């Protein structure tokens, strides 16, 4: 009986380790995906998320502008390779 319980416990521990590895991979992929929408303000140098601050995005002259939530600097946003976006510093 004790051997059977030990085998089951070993099996459960192996399953838990495998699940922990899968969760770590998913967390890394999620961080990589979300990082595509992070940018740093060229004025105050603070990092902010463009998706969270979507209320400050507006169209003007066929460009998308976003305002820094910290210093309110207005910056145009452009596409970059890989499906990401970045602000134009000038």
């Amino acid at each position: 009986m004790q051997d059977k319980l030990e085998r089951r416990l070993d099996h459960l521990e192996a399953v838990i380790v495998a699940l922990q590895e899968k969760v770590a991979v998913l967390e890394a992929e999620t961080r990589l995906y979300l990082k595509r929408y992070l940018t740093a303000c060229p004025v105050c140098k603070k990092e902010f998320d463009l998706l969270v601050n979507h209320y400050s995005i507006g169209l003007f002259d066929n460009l998308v502008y976003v305002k820094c939530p910290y210093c309110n600097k207005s910056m145009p946003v452009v596409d970059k390779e890989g499906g990401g976006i970045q602000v134009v510093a000038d």
Side-chain angles (χ1 to χ4, degrees):
M1 176 85 170
Q2 188 173 0
D3 288 338
K4 185 177 179 181
L5 288 176
E6 287 179 8
R7 281 194 309 262
R8 289 183 72 189
L9 185 58
D10 290 340
H11 173 71
L12 288 175
E13 287 176 347
V15 169
I16 288 172
V17 168
L19 287 174
Q20 287 174 332
E21 291 171 357
K22 288 181 181 180
V23 167
V25 168
L26 287 173
E27 286 176 342
E29 289 175 357
T30 302
R31 272 189 240 107
L32 181 64
Y33 176 75
L34 292 176
K35 193 170 185 155
R36 296 184 332 178
Y37 301 106
L38 290 178
T39 190
C41 177
V43 175
C44 67
K45 308 293 186 220
K46 292 186 180 176
E47 191 173 66
F48 66 96
D49 187 348
L50 294 172
L51 294 178
V52 172
N53 295 292
H54 70 279
Y55 62 86
S56 61
I57 297 175
L59 288 174
F60 182 71
D61 292 338
N62 293 329
L63 290 173
V64 175
Y65 283 81
V66 64
K67 283 189 178 180
C68 172
Y70 301 103
C71 69
N72 289 326
K73 165 77 172 144
S74 183
M75 302 160 278
V77 177
V78 295
D79 291 332
K80 66 179 189 179
E81 291 184 25
I85 54 179
Q86 75 180 50
V87 296
V88 177
D90 296 330

